[in-house]
């Protein structure tokens, strides 16, 4: 995917993602409020033009997909208005519990289920596993994940290890205390005999599924991660942490989107504003410069740092727009900047 131009520069667009015919999973992540939902929505529209079927999923509890497309979505895939092959859904894998969770008949939790639920991260891992199982069964050509802010995303990547540790702990407990716990369950009426076997088989089944998906995640031809950031210190720091973690987990990341960049108004814009307010275009340019000079200079400093740090990445630069990005037409406008570098003039 990392094709350089003749002058050795990486193509500053997302074209490499659109050219791939094998990509199955595309994660879009970054710090909160940098424009992940806008970019994942715009990217999914672009992908729908070159792929058979595309599903964009929001796993961010804030759920802004409905706002971005200006259409209400739910936890079931729904066709986006005006498209025949683009679907969207909003789920919360950190909260939603799958049906038939680790609860035995009669509504009483088994002792092993109670013990397993005390393992940190196990509920989240199981819920995410259920989501992956559902998504895999849908057989979409390409799936775009609009992920929760960075911390949640990094936890999501460690779920296979969480399940592995949970199974190991439970197996150790069963070997050491199995007889006593079963006897106690019978005495206390907590659960039914053999309930723990069902729990183990469910955990093992989920771990097999997540291991399988994890293998796909570590295959750069099937999975990639798009990092979205803004040109500020904290966002740059968070992006570097994310890239390091992705590398550690063996997950490909080759595209970084720098969003909300401020540029001086073009000559045409200065002329338009000047005629509206009966001042010269030069005066408009001077006022704009005095108001935004510091921020433009600060952003430029961080963009230079990013260009040096990520010289083997596709670094896509998006302008700060003069209006809120809502609705398909505005998302297509963003898509245009994702595929054709923005020219301030």
């Amino acid at each position: 995917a990392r094709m350089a131009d003749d002058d050795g520069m990486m193509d500053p667009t997302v074209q490499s993602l659109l050219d791939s015919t094998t990509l199955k999973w595309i994660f879009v992540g970054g710090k909160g409020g940098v424009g992940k939902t806008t970019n994942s929505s715009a990217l999914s529209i672009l992908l729908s033009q070159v792929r058979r079927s595309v599903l964009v999923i929001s796993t961010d509890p804030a759920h802004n997909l409905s706002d971005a497309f200006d259409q209400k979505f739910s936890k079931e895939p729904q066709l986006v208005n005006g498209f025949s092959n683009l679907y969207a859904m909003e789920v919360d894998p950190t909260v939603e519990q799958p049906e038939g969770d680790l609860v035995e008949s009669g509504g009483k939790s088994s002792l092993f289920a109670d013990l397993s639920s005390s393992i940190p991260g196990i509920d989240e891992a199981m819920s995410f596993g259920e989501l992956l199982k559902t998504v895999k069964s849908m057989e979409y050509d390409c799936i775009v994940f609009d992920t929760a802010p960075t911390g949640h995303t990094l936890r999501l990547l460690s779920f296979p290890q969480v399940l592995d540790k949970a199974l190991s702990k439970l197996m150790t407990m069963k070997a050491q205390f199995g007889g006593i716990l079963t006897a106690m369950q019978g005495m206390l009426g907590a659960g039914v005999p053999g309930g723990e076997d069902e729990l183990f088989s469910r955990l093992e089944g989920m771990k097999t599924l997540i291991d399988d998906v994890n293998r796909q995640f570590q295959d750069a031809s099937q999975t990639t991660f798009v990092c979205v950031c803004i040109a500020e210190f904290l966002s740059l720091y968070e992006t570097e942490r994310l890239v390091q973690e992705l590398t550690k987990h063996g997950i490909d990341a080759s595209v970084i989107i720098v969003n909300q960049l401020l540029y001086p108004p073009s000559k045409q814009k200065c002329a338009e504003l000047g005629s509206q307010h009966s001042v010269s275009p030069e005066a408009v340019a001077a006022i704009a410069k005095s108001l935004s000079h510091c921020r433009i200079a600060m952003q430029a400093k961080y963009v230079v740092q990013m260009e040096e740090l990520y010289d083997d990445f596709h670094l896509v630069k998006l302008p700060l727009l003069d209006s809120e990005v809502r609705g398909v037409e505005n998302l297509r406008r963003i898509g245009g900047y994702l595929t054709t570098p923005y020219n301030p003039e």
Side-chain angles (χ1 to χ4, degrees):
R2 305 198 175 202
M3 295 290 289
D5 294 339
D6 294 337
D7 58 0
M9 296 288 289
M10 297 294 288
D11 174 30
T13 71
V14 299
Q15 195 59 47
S16 59
L17 306 181
L18 305 179
D19 290 343
S20 170
T21 56
T22 57
L23 272 178
K24 170 82 173 173
W25 313 87
I26 298 176
F27 289 86
V28 180
K31 196 171 178 289
V34 295
K36 294 184 298 295
T37 302
T38 299
N39 281 285
S40 53
S41 302
L43 181 59
S44 67
I45 289 175
L46 291 171
L47 286 162
S48 72
Q49 295 164 10
V50 294
R51 302 296 289 270
R52 182 176 51 80
S53 59
V54 178
L55 172 67
V56 56
I57 302 179
S58 169
T59 59
D60 185 343
H63 291 326
N64 296 318
L65 269 188
S66 294
D67 295 327
F69 283 102
D70 214 3
Q71 177 183 345
K72 186 65 185 160
F73 299 118
S74 65
K75 61 182 181 178
E76 298 296 326
Q78 194 174 327
L79 195 62
V80 177
N81 292 340
F83 293 85
S84 60
N85 65 338
L86 176 60
Y87 298 80
M89 64 189 282
E90 295 179 326
V91 293
D92 187 355
T94 62
V95 174
E96 192 165 306
Q97 291 298 318
E99 286 180 26
D101 205 350
L102 308 176
V103 177
E104 305 301 333
S105 57
K108 293 180 181 177
S109 301
S110 80
L111 200 49
F112 265 102
D114 288 341
L115 290 168
S116 74
S117 64
S118 67
I119 297 168
I122 186 71
D123 287 346
E124 211 170 357
M126 294 294 281
S127 298
F128 185 67
E130 288 290 340
L131 170 62
L132 289 178
K133 190 194 291 183
T134 306
V135 169
K136 277 195 83 177
S137 68
M138 291 173 185
E139 296 182 351
Y140 287 95
D141 199 25
C142 185
I143 295 145
V144 179
F145 274 89
D146 170 32
T147 68
T150 313
H152 295 273
T153 305
L154 298 181
R155 246 195 355 264
L156 176 153
L157 299 175
S158 64
F159 283 163
Q161 293 94 307
V162 170
L163 279 178
D164 207 17
K165 284 179 184 173
L167 270 176
S168 303
K169 279 186 183 178
L170 287 172
M171 292 302 274
T172 306
M173 285 165 55
K174 189 178 184 187
Q176 291 177 343
F177 308 113
I180 301 169
L181 290 172
T182 305
M184 283 176 66
Q185 275 183 219
M187 287 166 59
L188 299 171
V192 293
E196 65 273 11
D197 291 331
E198 190 179 325
L199 167 66
F200 278 113
S201 97
R202 179 135 183 242
L203 276 170
E204 281 172 343
M206 196 60 71
K207 184 175 179 300
T208 304
L209 169 82
I210 290 191
D211 281 344
D212 175 45
V213 170
N214 210 41
R215 274 191 294 276
Q216 289 186 37
F217 284 2
Q218 292 175 344
D219 180 352
S221 69
Q222 293 191 66
T223 305
T224 193
F225 205 105
V226 176
C227 305
V228 184
C229 63
I230 55 177
E232 291 180 5
F233 173 75
L234 279 178
S235 187
L236 176 57
Y237 173 78
E238 195 98 337
T239 302
E240 178 56 17
R241 187 165 75 101
L242 180 56
V243 169
Q244 296 282 357
E245 283 292 319
L246 292 168
T247 305
K248 192 170 87 179
H249 285 91
I251 296 173
D252 175 74
S254 57
V255 175
I256 294 177
I257 296 172
V258 189
N259 199 16
Q260 300 173 14
L261 290 173
L262 198 58
Y263 294 95
S266 65
K267 289 178 182 176
Q268 183 186 344
K269 189 73 175 174
C270 287
E272 287 174 9
L273 289 169
S275 66
Q276 281 175 26
H277 301 283
S278 303
V279 294
S280 69
E282 291 76 20
V284 173
I287 294 167
K289 184 177 180 181
S290 67
L291 291 174
S292 58
H293 172 72
C294 291
R295 186 152 192 86
I296 289 173
M298 179 202 75
Q299 287 188 338
K301 178 183 76 172
Y302 288 118
V303 167
V304 168
Q305 288 182 22
M306 287 181 183
E307 286 172 341
E308 291 172 355
L309 193 56
Y310 304 113
D311 60 346
D312 60 340
F313 282 70
H314 298 282
L315 200 63
V316 186
K317 298 166 195 167
L318 298 186
L320 178 67
L321 299 186
D322 51 9
S323 61
E324 195 178 21
V325 182
R326 288 193 73 178
V328 171
E329 284 314 305
N330 282 321
L331 290 172
R332 286 190 195 277
R333 186 181 168 198
I334 292 288
Y337 297 141
L338 289 174
T339 51
T340 307
Y342 175 70
N343 180 2
E345 292 301 320

